[in-house]
Every structure is written in structure tokens, then in C-alpha cells.
Amino acid sequence: MDTGDYLPKKYKGKNYRAIVRRNGKIRYNGKTFNSLSLAGHAITHRPTNGWYFWKFKNSANELVKLNELRK
């Protein structure tokens, strides 16, 4: 994934979007987070596995979970 990519997520009927910064941190809602999970927690208000929470567009332009990058 290139730096500066947007990470979309639909949660409880609302659309969210974070961005991966050049330093590897996640920017969401004007705040910077050290991990995907902490950024997801800011939305869900409960423990969240960011690799399964956030999505990205693959080469087929489909939204898939970030965990797919680990395979």
C-alpha cells in the first residue's frame, strides 16, 4: 500500500475514512494514531483489530480488509 492511501470503512451505517501518513501513523478525524487498531477504536469505542476493521481498494478496485495484505 502506498503512503497516503485512504482507508475507508462503513460502520453502523456511517462512512468513515482514515489516511496512512508517510511516517506510518494513521490520521483520522484530525487526530494521529500509532496503530490501525487505535484509529478503529476511536470509531467503535471498544477494542478493535485494525487489520480486520479497515479496508483498502485492491487492484480490481474492490474493497477488502487490510488483513489481505498479510497473505
Side-chain angles (χ1 to χ4, degrees):
M1 176 177 13
D2 294 330
T3 301
D5 283 345
Y6 287 99
L7 304 175
K9 176 64 181 182
K10 189 169 192 170
Y11 180 73
K12 293 192 175 184
K14 187 174 177 185
N15 292 315
Y16 297 90
R17 186 171 75 167
I19 187 169
V20 179
R21 306 298 296 189
R22 289 188 179 160
N23 60 6
K25 298 189 187 266
I26 310 302
R27 187 89 173 147
Y28 165 71
N29 199 27
K31 297 179 183 174
T32 302
F33 298 90
N34 290 323
S35 73
L36 296 164
S37 297
L38 289 174
H41 181 273
I43 293 168
T44 65
H45 304 286
R46 61 188 177 105
T48 304
N49 183 329
W51 286 97
Y52 289 92
F53 182 79
W54 294 104
K55 296 185 175 186
F56 75 103
K57 284 191 178 182
N58 64 11
S59 58
N61 208 33
E62 301 167 323
L63 282 176
V64 295
K65 292 179 182 175
L66 277 176
N67 191 54
E68 292 296 313
L69 293 174
R70 294 173 143 180
K71 294 181 178 180

